[in-house]
Amino acid sequence: MSKQILLEGRKLSKTFGRFVALQETDFAIHAGEVHGLCGSNGAGKSTLIKILTGAHRPTGGEVHVNGTLAPAGSPLAMLELGVACIYQHSNLIPALTVLDNVFLGRPPKTKLGFIDATEQRRKAEALLEKYNIDLDLDAQVSTLATVKQKEVEILKALALDAQVILMDEPTAWLSHSEVRKLHDTIARLRALGVGLVYISHVLDEVFQVCDAVTVMRDGAVVWNGSIDEITRPELVDRMVGNDLGEASRSVAAEPRHPKGTGEILLSARDLGMTNTFEDISFDLYKGEILCLTGLIGSKRTELLHSIFGSAKFSAGTLDVLGRSVRYSSPSEAIAAGIGFVPEDRLRDGLLLDHSVSDNLIFAALDKVSRWGFWNNRAVRELTERQIRDLNVKPADGSKIVKRLSGGNQQKVLLGKWLEIEPKILFLDEPTVGVDVGAKAEIYAILRKLRAQGTAILLVSSDMEEVMAIADRIAVMVSGRMTMTCAADDITQEELVLQISGGNK
Amino acid sequence: MLSLISYLRTAIPTYAMPVALLIVIGLFGALAPVFLTPANFTAIIYQMSITGIMAVCMTFVIMTGGIDLSVGPVLATSGLVVFFLLHIAHFPLFPAVVLGILTGAVTGAISGLVIALFSLPAMIVTLGMLSIVRGSALLAGGPDLHLVREQPGFEFIGNGFLFGIPFAIWIFVAVSLLLIFIQKRTTFGLQVAAVGDNERAAYLSGRRVKLVKMMTYVICGMGAALAGIIQSSQVHTAAATYGEFGTELDVIAAVVLGGASLLGGKGSVARTILGVLFLAVLNNGFNILNVPIDYQLIIKGGIIVIALSLTEWANSKVA
Amino acid sequence: MVRLRQLPNIELLAFFLLLYAFFCFYAPHFNTASNLENLLVGYSFIAVLAIGQSFPIMVRGIDLSIGSIMALGGMVLFDLSVIYEVPGYVVIPAVLLVCLLAGLLNGALVVWLRLQPFVATLSTLAAYRGVVYAISGRQLFPEMATRPITDPWLTGMDSYLDIGGVTGLDQYMEMPWLPLSFFLLVGIFIIIQTMHSKTQFGMNFKIVGGNPEAARLAGINVKLTILSAYGLSGLSAGIAAIILVTRLTTATEALGNGMELTAIASAVIGGISLQGGIGNAFGPIIGAMLLGIILLGLTLLGISQFVQQIISGLILIGAIGYDKLLSDFRMRKARAMQSGS
């Protein structure tokens, strides 16, 4: 390529303890190029981004901006060199206007040191015109739609004279029409010579807007080149890896039980929630594992919460164990025999400052108490039994949960729900941040539950996991269920296409 | 050396308070031998019983991440209510006291309801309640003192002795034991701590989080009301102006010194008692040594700062 | 149009005016010059305190110690002026400096010792009050205790401007005499409002309170900002102390007791959210004045002072409830817009 290289990473490495997150990775962004960055969860994309923005200091390698060496691990220095990042979560101040946010922390000033409002507005308007962005500069950011907030962040980056803008899953929370608007904006930036990095799981989008693409797997670049040089199936293949297919096949050697015993425990018909999801219909059978998969923002978590009573669905009907229900709180769902291992175990699941024992008994207090008074022996027995069955390490019920490893935390969380002896168990991304050993143990527990007749609904974005453990697979795309089938009837490549084939 | 520091860090939250308490007692004992007499210790506990009852009852509120600033006027109101019931309505003692405590429960329930149901900040709601309850008490009782006469049963509450120990101390001990029991031996105790630790997780585990929160304010109100009855009895009067501004801050300081975090989650009734005791010992010792009020205030403020920043230091580095 | 939309608390202002009109009609003597004068004299310094309090709240903290800082400032003023006979033009900066330092100490406890603001300022509430007793000139020199402040620079702080007489308008209508404290308040309002909208320093408070992580990424010194917030709160307590003590011509140890709650209430009623990130000088002033007209109006209506307490409590809870309702509504609207387009 003849175009100028704006940002370049040379042999970047990053290790956390013994864990290698990134190994000797080369990466380069040219002027006027939209560069896609693809890879499954844990492939090292976010580590690479964090090094490029200075949020992480690399263990090895160098970052060059416009051909000169940039200081490592300094977010401010990278900003000043013109490398800006738009993270998944907002970095705006909701109570301030668009104008104030655009010049956050570094507004133009008059000679007296006051903020030069006229100059600020003039500059902002010039940028709006140059990049053809439509924004009300006086609107308060909290009143803007999400796509507009993304544009404010883009404008904020441009106001810093950013040459390179990194975007981490910019479309995760956007609707289809908003995605198109964002892509138009990106096209205009490219035409004006800005270099963009576009991280996305949605392959459609990657093929729509990117000029070049880098595929990462296991902390290394496995392919990079122009988007014309690769087809979509090839891209998927590179993301998933050839050897991986075999691995998942060997795991999948376990017999599958689509539709379990044939008895329907939970049946949803046309469930909808305003502005969130609609027309969701599915059945969950006794003794099966139904995997619900899709991209971030496809509203799977919201669906689970609406069934569980921690949110409310606004349309459709729900039958649980043959009875039409609509829970107004989780306690009702739990009383009916539904358990729910939520997505973010630190935020929604665990009592971090409490002991393993306290956490294990917390959903089934009635089992270990009478009239609200503890039955200490029952507490002890329950704790010992779960620690033994789940192989929690260290095997100490008084250990504070905060101090356990991710895998053991997840086992404790699972144990809590096993104690209510659930007829139906929801799990939302149960193996994120869990080591391989614990992952296998969790799968074994789920299979055992299935054998005992529990109906399991598992939300996962990890294709390998879905292929390994699912009896049936359902796919959600932007709040709609687009596909349901037996796990044996689909290959991993087809599944990836289904999930990312969103924009239709 | 390094291991010593890290050992200290883990030890500070647990042992700092008892050690500090012993040091202070030793110091006062050395400076004024009269401080170490049993009579003086009885006096210390007698003096702390009112604040103590309020503090142990406030512990649960603070453990859920809330706060109750309205305990002062609630204290005054219950005294007034009992006065009215005894003198105007001629109730027997027992129902009068029960109804007095019930007023505390009701005001607590109102605060708790507003806070839990509408998810409003506890500080502002109870600040409003402080004003509302005080106004109501003044409206009902006026600004005057009401003398409680010829009520030997009522006077016994604050001034009587049982087995040679003031009855107020018995009440304080009983309330403390009851709350320690609730904290250690009931599921409610765990739920209170769980709400403060991770409210969302508790809710998703099927716990009635709002009810738990509300109950903590009811307990706190009942404690303040009981304290008000004891105070009324001690001074033979009831007045709407009792529990003047600053009462709630003393109570909160005691709870926080006991290791409870205003962010919720951490705290224990037993350690709150240590906090109350610590403040009471300081007050008593200062008075015996005739330390002027100015130094008392400065030293107290300084000690709270040092104690809490040590705890903060210990917690932040270990975790 | 743009200007109007940017004006904060437009609903609050409307409520204020409505209530004002209501009292004018129904409360005898409410709509008189002397009543307005009472309002301005009695509540200007509370408005100053509320503006000061808005800074810690803006950065997600709170300052409970301002009552004690006020007493501290008042006592320093009394000591210097009455006992050491220091001229007033030296006394005033000295008082402000002491109060600023007291505020900065609060900030230091929050920033460097990482204490929760509530606890940190609760401790200094006690400690500063202790210092007040320690330096109390009334106790150190009892014979001086009853001597009033006479320094012209200081007594001059309690002067009034007869705007009716100056402008000649009093031929047509009765005009209130405006206290100097009111002009001070106006001056502070202009300075703070300019700071908020025109300077990086003022903007930083809202940024730090609104999204500390974003503030850090934008290169804003978060610690310094929090420190300044408490410093400003202390400084405003100093100004309030000067206004109050020069009016009373003496200082007492109990000065400003409980004032923090009034100031917090005024700020919260004025729309300064406890969640942080929202700040202006206008809301706290309206909040303080609203409390003022309610109390004055109800007094004139012959409603007992005790009922007034009940009503101000209800207003406080109502204000925070309204604030919550509004933010919930905004969130729902934002979510609807996000998916609706």
Side-chain angles (χ1 to χ4, degrees):
Chain A
M1 290 198 201
S2 58
K3 280 178 184 166
Q4 180 200 357
I5 294 182
L6 296 176
L7 173 67
E8 191 183 10
R10 293 183 191 164
K11 298 216 177 306
L12 292 174
S13 304
K14 178 77 186 173
T15 51
F16 297 98
R18 264 180 301 166
F19 174 66
V20 180
L22 199 65
Q23 44 183 342
E24 305 224 332
T25 301
D26 292 326
F27 190 73
I29 307 293
H30 299 81
E33 170 190 71
V34 181
H35 197 119
L37 189 54
C38 298
S40 44
N41 290 333
K45 289 171 301 178
S46 34
T47 311
L48 177 60
I49 292 300
K50 281 184 176 154
I51 290 174
L52 291 178
T53 57
H56 275 349
R57 180 184 287 272
T59 356
E62 297 171 342
V63 178
H64 291 248
V65 179
N66 287 327
T68 49
L69 182 66
S74 162
L76 263 183
M78 293 310 286
L79 269 183
E80 272 156 16
L81 287 169
V83 179
C85 183
I86 296 170
Y87 295 94
Q88 266 186 50
H89 60 263
S90 162
N91 262 316
L92 299 175
I93 311 297
L96 294 183
T97 63
V98 171
L99 192 59
D100 289 335
N101 266 291
V102 166
F103 293 97
L104 197 73
R106 51 195 72 215
K109 289 183 183 159
T110 61
K111 279 178 199 144
L112 292 172
F114 289 109
I115 293 175
D116 191 338
T118 344
E119 173 69 8
Q120 187 169 304
R121 186 174 299 273
R122 200 187 57 72
K123 269 192 175 174
E125 275 168 356
L127 285 173
L128 286 180
E129 195 175 348
K130 182 172 172 195
Y131 295 99
N132 195 9
I133 301 172
D134 176 33
L135 274 174
D136 177 2
L137 292 175
D138 296 308
Q140 221 183 349
V141 163
S142 61
T143 64
L144 295 180
T146 319
V147 65
K148 287 283 171 195
Q149 298 195 4
K150 289 281 177 208
E151 289 184 355
V152 176
E153 299 220 40
I154 293 174
L155 196 61
K156 185 174 148 190
L158 294 172
L160 283 165
D161 291 327
Q163 316 260 298
V164 180
I165 302 179
L166 306 128
M167 297 183 179
D168 192 1
E169 299 257 3
T171 55
W173 312 106
L174 301 184
S175 69
H176 300 325
S177 54
E178 289 180 327
V179 169
R180 263 198 302 281
K181 278 189 224 161
L182 186 70
H183 285 179
D184 291 346
T185 310
I186 288 175
R188 282 193 295 275
L189 297 180
R190 167 173 55 190
L192 288 158
V194 177
L196 295 115
V197 179
Y198 191 93
I199 303 177
S200 180
H201 284 111
V202 190
L203 299 187
D204 260 357
E205 291 178 15
V206 172
F207 279 94
Q208 260 169 32
V209 3
C210 294
D211 306 308
V213 64
T214 293
V215 184
M216 295 187 71
R217 194 173 71 230
D218 300 329
V221 172
V222 291
W223 192 85
N224 94 64
S226 162
I227 196 84
D228 312 324
E229 297 166 14
I230 193 166
T231 63
R232 181 194 287 236
E234 283 168 359
L235 184 62
V236 172
D237 215 39
R238 301 243 146 73
M239 278 168 66
V240 175
N242 294 325
D243 45 333
L244 228 147
E246 271 171 50
S248 58
R249 233 165 287 140
S250 71
V251 181
E254 292 256 341
R256 301 189 192 267
H257 306 85
K259 305 206 172 176
T261 64
E263 183 189 342
I264 296 176
L265 293 190
L266 183 147
S267 161
R269 287 292 169 269
D270 306 322
L271 284 191
M273 186 193 234
T274 319
N275 295 328
T276 310
F277 55 79
E278 53 190 353
D279 296 333
I280 305 281
S281 300
F282 69 97
D283 293 317
L284 184 60
Y285 294 84
K286 186 172 178 178
E288 74 160 349
I289 298 176
L290 173 61
C291 278
L292 183 54
T293 184
L295 296 169
I296 296 174
S298 58
K299 311 296 183 195
R300 295 162 298 168
T301 301
E302 288 80 354
L303 174 65
L304 291 193
H305 278 290
S306 79
I307 297 176
F308 193 61
S310 36
K312 288 191 178 67
F313 55 85
S314 52
T317 55
L318 178 67
D319 287 357
V320 174
L321 306 172
R323 209 184 293 162
S324 175
V325 292
R326 190 188 160 93
Y327 303 122
S328 61
S329 77
S331 54
E332 291 175 24
I334 292 167
I338 304 181
F340 183 10
V341 179
E343 179 179 17
D344 187 336
R345 61 174 168 268
L346 304 182
R347 203 191 64 199
D348 292 349
L350 293 165
L351 308 171
L352 285 173
D353 285 324
H354 280 76
S355 67
V356 169
S357 172
D358 287 343
N359 274 280
L360 283 172
I361 61 178
F362 200 64
L365 292 182
D366 293 342
K367 244 179 153 175
V368 292
S369 65
R370 178 180 289 233
W371 305 110
F373 299 109
W374 294 121
N375 176 347
N376 284 338
R377 211 178 63 180
V379 171
R380 207 164 43 241
E381 282 173 5
L382 184 155
T383 307
E384 281 167 10
R385 185 179 65 239
Q386 284 300 346
I387 287 180
R388 190 169 6 112
D389 291 358
L390 296 166
N391 189 25
V392 175
K393 284 172 192 161
D396 175 4
S398 63
K399 194 88 184 162
I400 300 300
V401 163
K402 192 162 66 179
R403 308 216 193 289
L404 297 185
S405 71
N408 281 300
Q409 286 181 344
Q410 195 66 30
K411 285 195 249 173
V412 170
L413 187 52
L414 191 55
K416 170 169 92 174
W417 289 106
L418 297 185
E419 274 309 319
I420 69 163
E421 288 157 28
K423 297 189 183 69
I424 300 168
L425 182 61
F426 296 167
L427 300 107
D428 197 351
E429 305 281 6
T431 58
V432 168
V434 166
D435 59 285
V436 185
K439 223 179 214 177
E441 290 178 78
I442 289 172
Y443 292 157
I445 293 164
L446 293 183
R447 289 214 174 88
K448 199 168 117 196
L449 278 178
R450 173 181 64 183
Q452 291 164 358
T454 306
I456 295 174
L457 178 57
L458 186 140
V459 165
S460 176
S461 305
D462 181 347
M463 290 308 112
E464 195 191 341
E465 171 170 298
V466 171
M467 294 312 290
I469 197 165
D471 295 319
R472 286 193 305 139
I473 297 172
V475 174
M476 270 180 83
V477 176
S478 301
R480 284 169 180 275
M481 201 170 269
T482 53
M483 187 206 81
T484 318
C485 73
D488 283 332
D489 299 346
I490 191 167
T491 65
Q492 188 165 349
E493 286 75 13
E494 285 166 354
L495 188 58
V496 171
L497 284 180
Q498 275 287 338
I499 288 163
S500 55
N503 294 339
K504 279 168 191 143
Chain B
M1 189 59 208
L2 205 68
S3 69
L4 183 69
I5 289 178
S6 71
Y7 175 73
L8 273 179
R9 272 181 187 153
T10 45
I12 280 172
T14 325
Y15 299 113
M17 201 66 228
V19 169
L21 191 59
L22 287 178
I23 293 175
V24 170
I25 290 176
L27 218 64
F28 282 138
L31 293 171
V34 66
F35 178 84
L36 288 176
T37 57
N40 189 48
F41 277 115
T42 314
I44 290 176
I45 298 175
Y46 180 69
Q47 283 156 6
M48 75 188 252
S49 54
I50 289 178
T51 316
I53 288 171
M54 288 195 281
V56 290
C57 292
M58 173 102 73
T59 307
F60 286 170
V61 168
I62 291 186
M63 282 181 70
T64 63
I67 202 157
D68 190 348
L69 299 176
S70 69
V71 288
V74 171
L75 172 148
T77 309
S78 75
L80 271 182
V81 167
V82 175
F83 165 81
F84 278 121
L85 291 175
L86 288 176
H87 272 273
I88 317 277
H90 300 291
F91 269 52
L93 179 67
F94 187 69
V97 168
V98 169
L99 285 173
I101 294 176
L102 214 59
T103 47
V106 170
T107 49
I110 295 172
S111 307
L113 196 72
V114 174
I115 291 165
L117 216 55
F118 305 112
S119 320
L120 295 182
M123 195 173 67
I124 300 296
V125 172
T126 56
L127 183 58
M129 279 301 280
L130 174 121
S131 189
I132 293 171
V133 177
R134 177 74 74 203
S136 311
L138 284 165
L139 199 62
D144 317 322
L145 299 180
H146 301 276
L147 202 58
V148 184
R149 254 170 280 130
E150 286 157 25
Q151 294 283 351
F154 182 70
E155 281 174 28
F156 182 78
I157 296 175
N159 302 297
F161 283 81
L162 196 64
F163 308 123
I165 291 174
F167 189 62
I169 294 186
W170 288 110
I171 300 179
F172 173 44
V173 170
V175 170
S176 301
L177 288 178
L178 178 68
L179 286 170
I180 291 175
F181 179 81
I182 291 177
Q183 185 166 47
K184 301 269 180 212
R185 297 265 177 259
T186 70
T187 57
F188 180 75
L190 176 60
Q191 292 185 55
V192 167
V195 167
D197 186 344
N198 189 341
E199 186 173 339
R200 174 107 179 127
Y203 171 72
L204 287 176
S205 302
R207 298 294 139 222
R208 302 215 165 87
V209 169
K210 295 189 173 184
L211 186 68
V212 169
K213 271 178 149 178
M214 199 177 112
M215 279 310 296
T216 63
Y217 288 91
V218 171
I219 291 172
C220 186
M222 284 165 67
L226 181 59
I229 293 169
I230 297 172
Q231 189 182 15
S232 264
S233 164
Q234 279 181 0
V235 296
H236 309 285
T237 49
T241 50
Y242 283 170
E244 77 278 19
F245 174 75
T247 310
E248 64 281 355
L249 299 184
D250 284 347
V251 172
I252 293 165
V255 178
V256 170
L257 267 183
S261 160
L262 286 180
L263 300 175
K266 295 195 193 79
S268 104
V269 174
R271 299 189 69 84
T272 295
I273 298 172
L274 273 185
V276 183
L277 189 62
F278 187 76
L279 287 179
V281 164
L282 277 186
N283 279 338
N284 177 280
F286 284 151
N287 286 337
I288 288 180
L289 295 175
N290 265 326
V291 176
I293 172 90
D294 40 353
Y295 293 110
Q296 288 194 24
L297 287 171
I298 297 171
I299 294 171
K300 255 201 272 182
I303 284 177
I304 296 178
V305 166
I306 292 169
L308 292 174
S309 48
L310 268 179
T311 320
E312 192 59 42
W313 173 72
N315 283 339
S316 67
K317 295 292 162 62
V318 169
Chain C
M1 204 42 220
V2 171
R3 284 280 131 204
L4 196 65
R5 204 179 52 186
Q6 279 180 330
L7 192 68
N9 330 86
I10 188 101
E11 311 93 340
L12 185 74
L13 186 63
F15 181 68
F16 178 83
L17 293 175
L18 264 176
L19 202 67
Y20 200 91
F22 170 83
F23 281 128
C24 284
F25 276 111
Y26 292 99
H29 311 297
F30 187 83
N31 189 18
T32 59
S34 70
N35 186 54
L36 189 58
E37 203 175 295
N38 282 341
L39 177 70
L40 295 180
V41 169
Y43 285 87
S44 289
F45 80 94
I46 291 181
V48 173
L49 281 176
I51 291 176
Q53 184 68 244
S54 71
F55 285 96
I57 296 181
M58 226 180 291
V59 294
R60 304 186 183 182
I62 196 129
D63 187 353
L64 296 178
S65 71
I66 53 169
S68 298
I69 296 183
M70 253 182 94
L72 184 63
M75 200 52 78
V76 168
L77 187 147
F78 181 85
D79 286 355
L80 289 180
S81 176
V82 176
I83 296 167
Y84 299 104
E85 297 182 342
V86 176
Y89 52 84
V90 180
V91 172
I92 291 176
V95 169
L96 293 179
L97 184 67
V98 166
C99 292
L100 175 69
L101 288 176
L104 288 176
L105 179 61
N106 283 333
L109 295 179
V110 173
V111 170
W112 283 301
L113 294 187
R114 279 177 291 180
L115 292 183
Q116 287 155 24
F118 190 96
V119 180
T121 55
L122 179 60
S123 318
T124 53
L125 176 144
Y128 293 155
R129 187 70 68 183
V131 177
V132 172
Y133 282 100
I135 64 163
S136 170
R138 296 152 60 89
Q139 286 173 2
L140 299 173
F141 304 93
E143 68 281 2
M144 303 277 207
T146 51
R147 192 191 291 181
I149 295 167
T150 50
D151 186 285
W153 277 82
L154 297 175
T155 51
M157 295 294 294
D158 188 38
S159 52
Y160 294 79
L161 176 69
D162 176 13
I163 54 164
V166 172
T167 57
L169 278 174
D170 57 354
Q171 294 164 9
Y172 311 103
M173 57 193 285
E174 198 191 357
M175 295 294 284
W177 287 36
L178 297 179
L180 185 64
S181 61
F182 174 71
F183 291 103
L184 258 178
L185 176 64
V186 172
I188 290 171
F189 167 72
I190 293 170
I191 292 171
I192 299 288
Q193 200 59 39
T194 314
M195 197 177 96
H196 273 316
S197 56
K198 293 272 180 214
T199 71
Q200 184 58 45
F201 181 69
M203 196 81 82
N204 285 354
F205 296 106
K206 286 182 270 189
I207 298 172
V208 169
N211 190 338
E213 178 62 14
R216 201 180 59 81
L217 289 177
I220 289 164
N221 191 334
V222 174
K223 288 185 172 176
L224 189 69
T225 305
I226 295 177
L227 194 68
S228 327
Y230 288 90
L232 283 175
S233 172
L235 188 63
S236 71
I239 298 171
I242 293 172
I243 295 173
L244 195 59
V245 170
T246 53
R247 192 169 91 223
L248 302 173
T249 68
T250 189
T252 65
E253 290 87 356
L255 192 82
N257 214 347
M259 205 56 91
E260 58 275 10
L261 299 187
T262 316
I264 294 168
S266 300
V268 168
I269 291 174
I272 309 296
S273 163
L274 288 180
Q275 320 282 331
I278 294 178
N280 61 72
F282 188 67
I285 294 179
I286 294 289
M289 292 298 164
L290 189 65
L291 278 182
I293 62 164
I294 288 167
L295 296 186
L296 286 173
L298 292 177
T299 308
L300 292 173
L301 276 176
I303 287 174
S304 106
Q305 195 195 330
F306 310 142
V307 178
Q308 295 177 20
Q309 278 196 21
I310 300 178
I311 292 178
S312 33
L314 288 173
I315 289 176
L316 182 58
I317 297 178
I320 193 80
Y322 178 72
D323 180 53
K324 166 90 178 153
L325 207 69
L326 215 63
S327 66
D328 283 0
F329 174 72
R330 275 199 208 110
M331 212 148 75
R332 214 171 312 138
K333 201 170 115 188
R335 202 175 301 147
M337 269 169 47
Q338 167 186 340
S339 322
S341 57

